[in-house]
Amino acid sequence: MRLRHKPWAADKLMQYPQYVIQNPEQHKGQWSKVFGNDHPLHIEVGTGKGQFIVGMAKANPEINYIGIELQNSVIVSALDRIIEEELPNVKLLNVDGEKLREFFEKGDVSRVYLNFSDPWPKNRHEKRRLTYKTFLKLYEDVLVDGGEIHFKTDNQGLFEYSLTSFSEYGLLLKYVSLDLHNSDYPDNIMTEYEEKFSARGQRIYRCEVKYPT
Ligand code: SAM
C-alpha cells in the first residue's frame, strides 16, 4: 500500500479510545466486555482503510468486528468511517497481526478475514505471507474450535500458494471461487484493493477454510 505520511495520525487514533482500543492485551479473553455483548467476534488482519470491516459491521449488527492494521496513517481512514457511521460493533487495533496471541486467547475469535494480503512473491520472504504455516498456527491459537479463515486476493500466485499451505496444515476447504465477481456468491463486500483491481479487469479469487474439530 502506498503510504502518505500523516504525522497527526497517532494523535487522532488516541483521541477515539472507544473505537481504537488502546492496550488491547488488557482485554484478552474479555472482548465481550468491550462490546457489551457476547456476539461472535470476527477479525481482519491487514484491514487497510477499513472499507470491508466497516461494511461488514453495518451489514451484520449481530457480529462484532475488529480490524487490525499495522500502519497508523492507513488505519486512521478506517477510524473516519467508523466515526461517520457511529457503529457500536466494530473496533480497531493499530498493532502487528503477528502479535495476535498477546491480545486474544484461544476461543476469543470465530473467524479471521485476510483480504488482499501483501503477496511477498520472493521465495525468501515466504515466512512473511499471512497464509504461511506459522500464521495458520497463530490464527488457530486464537480461534474457536472449528474456526474459519476467509481469504480474498487478486494475486493468483498467492492464492495458489495459500491453498497449498492450508491443505498442508490440514484445513478443510469449504468454498472456493476462481472468479468471485462472476460467481453466485451473495453479499460480497468489496475492499479498497478489490475495487481497484477489479476495475482494471483483474479476477478476484476467494476461499473459505475451516480448522478441523
Ligand atoms: N485489506 C485491505 C484491502 O483489501 O483493501 C488492504 C490491503 S493492503 C495490500 C495490505 C495491508 O495489510 C496493508 O495496509 C498493511 O499495512 C497491512 N499489514 C501487512 N502485514 C500486517 C501485519 N502483520 N499486521 C497488521 N497489518 C498488516
Side-chain angles (χ1 to χ4, degrees), residues 43 99-110 112 137-144:
I43 66 172
K99 298 184 179 162
L100 284 185
R101 286 187 199 90
E102 294 179 21
F103 315 129
F104 302 101
E105 66 179 32
K106 176 77 186 156
D108 276 353
V109 178
S110 298
V112 173
K137 172 72 175 125
L138 179 61
Y139 309 141
E140 184 174 28
D141 287 349
V142 303
L143 277 164
V144 294

Side-chain angles (χ1 to χ4, degrees), residues 146-149 166-167 169-175 207-213:
E148 297 184 3
I149 303 171
F166 295 148
S167 171
Y169 198 84
L171 294 172
L172 309 172
L173 186 60
K174 280 187 60 186
Y175 169 95
C207 70
E208 298 176 7
V209 292
K210 184 179 167 73
Y211 287 83
T213 44

Side-chain angles (χ1 to χ4, degrees), residues 1-3 44-52 68-72 74-75 93-100 113-120 128 130 135 139 152 154 190-197:
M1 173 166 305
R2 193 156 49 91
L3 285 180
E44 182 186 18
V45 181
T47 213
K49 294 181 179 172
Q51 178 168 304
F52 175 82
I68 296 170
E69 170 56 53
L70 202 52
Q71 303 290 344
N72 62 14
V74 176
I75 201 173
L93 302 186
N94 181 205
V95 297
D96 188 337
E98 275 193 37
K99 298 184 179 162
L100 284 185
Y113 287 101
L114 302 174
N115 291 318
F116 299 81
S117 309
D118 298 317
W120 294 110
R128 299 185 189 178
L130 293 184
F135 280 99
Y139 309 141
K152 288 196 276 195
D154 65 303
M190 294 229 261
T191 79
E192 282 92 0
Y193 270 61
E194 186 171 356
E195 279 191 348
K196 193 166 81 180
F197 290 126

Side-chain angles (χ1 to χ4, degrees), residues 148-183:
E148 297 184 3
I149 303 171
H150 292 199
F151 174 53
K152 288 196 276 195
T153 180
D154 65 303
N155 189 298
Q156 183 179 347
L158 180 66
F159 195 69
E160 290 169 353
Y161 168 84
S162 301
L163 288 179
T164 308
S165 183
F166 295 148
S167 171
E168 284 175 357
Y169 198 84
L171 294 172
L172 309 172
L173 186 60
K174 280 187 60 186
Y175 169 95
V176 65
S177 174
L178 301 179
D179 190 357
L180 177 63
H181 292 187
N182 287 308
S183 75

